[in-house]
Amino acid sequence: MPGKIAAATSYDTKRSTTVSLHQTKPPPGKSSNALNPPASTLPPPLTLPTRPPNLSGTRRFTFYYQIGKAYLSFYKSGIKSIYQNYKILRQLRPRVPRGKSFEQALRDGALSRAEYHLIKRTRRDAFRIPLFGLVLAICGEFTPLVVVSMGLNGVVPRTCHIPRQIDGAREKAEARRRESFRHGTVTYDEMGKFDDVQKLPKPILAHIGRSLGLYSSLWDKVGLTPTVLLPRRIREAVGRIDVDDTAIQRDGGMKHLSEEEMKLAAEERGLDVVGKPLGEIRSVLVKWTEARKLAPIIELVLRRPSAWPQQR
């Protein structure tokens, strides 16, 4: 057991004892209640024991046993957060007019951005609880090893994602995006101003899909592109980004997103965050806001930030 747990936790144990993905305090001078969803929609802090020197014998077993307990406690806290969020979701449902989507309610101002993302994330996480609960019941303290080694991100609720899992997913997504840009795609100017996503050329569909993570990388490995599925997914993704842009500006602005919310917003727009300072991520998001006044979302996704149109 010790060796297997070490393989799954080596990344985290080399870091300090506590790893937290969310920022509890809003940026100075601005309330973020309407802008940033509560910390309960993100993974809780992960507290791991510090590796003692001369680890051997009984001390070795005790150390890895404590790591296992720490992960189980982390997962239980994540699942508890989902149930707490679900109670809030039920209170928010009456605010959404009958026959309207949550996106429409957000655009109309019936929901704040923070409330909308709480609903969106809670619905997604609640759907994953049954299968993840089964994995947790079977694997116990080996769950991190199974999740990371088998790539089960889609099974695990977001509130139960460990730091190594999140960082690994981001690195893979950005490597895939870089590869797509490296091979080149038809530019927005070359493809014309298509009003119908259904008519977008296949290279454009594929690149947007890769940049926004709209289809599995397994399709790339077999040399295929799910062109039947992508138009609808692209329309939905563009709609989500558009309404989120509007809500961010209404409820506080890009500059007042918390640290993790900034990273999530950048990811949703196909922007890189790995290894980048917080100030750089914030700057690119502000630049996105300005570029949106001059170009549609699809055009921005097809270009790197350095090639976005700028006001003169």
Side-chain angles (χ1 to χ4, degrees):
M1 180 180 75
K4 291 185 177 181
I5 296 180
T9 62
S10 58
Y11 175 89
D12 296 317
T13 55
K14 290 179 182 178
R15 303 173 73 164
S16 59
T17 55
T18 302
V19 182
S20 178
L21 291 175
H22 57 265
Q23 165 179 312
T24 56
K25 295 182 180 180
K30 185 70 178 183
S31 171
S32 64
N33 290 342
L35 182 64
N36 296 302
S40 59
T41 64
L42 300 172
L46 174 59
T47 303
L48 298 174
T50 303
R51 185 186 181 93
N54 303 320
L55 192 62
S56 61
T58 304
R59 294 181 66 186
R60 184 182 184 88
F61 176 83
T62 301
F63 172 65
Y64 287 115
Y65 174 74
Q66 290 174 342
I67 287 180
K69 285 186 62 178
Y71 275 107
L72 287 177
S73 176
F74 169 81
Y75 286 135
K76 289 178 182 177
S77 295
I79 292 175
K80 183 179 179 180
S81 291
I82 298 173
Y83 283 106
Q84 292 174 340
N85 293 336
Y86 190 75
K87 292 179 181 178
I88 300 175
L89 183 155
R90 293 182 64 181
Q91 295 173 0
L92 293 174
R93 282 186 187 276
R95 302 250 301 275
V96 181
R98 184 180 297 274
K100 283 195 174 184
S101 66
F102 292 118
E103 286 75 17
Q104 289 174 316
L106 175 62
R107 190 182 296 276
D108 295 343
L111 294 174
S112 69
R113 181 182 184 272
E115 292 167 339
Y116 166 75
H117 279 283
L118 181 143
I119 292 172
K120 177 182 171 184
R121 296 173 189 177
T122 302
R123 285 163 59 90
R124 175 201 59 202
D125 287 345
F127 179 77
R128 295 177 178 179
I129 282 181
L131 186 54
F132 177 66
L134 180 62
V135 172
L136 189 61
I138 295 173
C139 302
E141 67 269 21
F142 293 102
T143 300
L145 173 67
V146 174
V147 167
V148 173
S149 62
M150 297 184 66
L152 300 181
N153 284 4
V155 172
V156 183
R158 180 75 185 191
T159 58
C160 296
H161 281 203
I162 62 175
R164 182 181 182 182
Q165 186 180 355
I166 293 174
D167 293 345
R170 284 174 172 165
E171 289 168 1
K172 289 180 180 178
E174 293 186 14
R176 188 184 185 200
R177 189 180 304 127
R178 283 195 301 271
E179 187 68 15
S180 186
F181 272 108
R182 187 177 298 118
H183 284 302
T185 64
V186 180
T187 67
Y188 187 80
D189 293 331
E190 291 172 341
M191 81 177 193
K193 308 292 183 179
F194 286 116
D195 295 326
D196 187 0
V197 175
Q198 197 76 36
K199 297 178 181 178
L200 292 176
K202 183 177 177 180
I204 293 292
L205 289 172
H207 179 69
I208 296 173
R210 295 188 195 104
S211 291
L212 300 182
L214 302 181
Y215 69 98
S216 171
S217 60
L218 293 176
W219 287 92
D220 295 334
K221 293 178 180 179
V222 298
L224 297 174
T225 302
T227 51
V228 175
L229 303 175
L230 280 175
R232 178 180 60 82
R233 293 184 181 180
I234 290 173
R235 279 194 296 269
E236 292 175 349
V238 168
R240 288 194 300 269
I241 295 171
D242 181 54
V243 72
D244 195 45
D245 282 345
T246 301
I248 288 174
Q249 294 310 302
R250 181 191 67 204
D251 294 338
M254 288 288 189
K255 293 182 179 180
H256 297 290
L257 288 171
S258 65
E259 180 176 344
E260 187 61 21
E261 289 301 323
M262 253 190 280
K263 293 180 180 179
L264 292 173
E267 284 182 293
E268 189 172 27
R269 289 155 178 78
L271 306 173
D272 296 344
V273 299
V274 175
K276 295 187 179 297
L278 185 61
E280 182 178 343
I281 298 173
R282 180 186 290 113
S283 177
V284 172
L285 285 172
V286 172
K287 187 177 180 180
W288 167 281
T289 301
E290 295 302 316
R292 276 295 317 276
K293 300 174 183 177
L294 305 173
I297 291 171
I298 288 180
E299 180 174 355
L300 301 187
V301 173
L302 288 171
R303 297 178 177 181
R304 288 298 197 180
S306 58
W308 288 347
Q310 299 181 22
Q311 289 181 333
R312 296 180 180 179

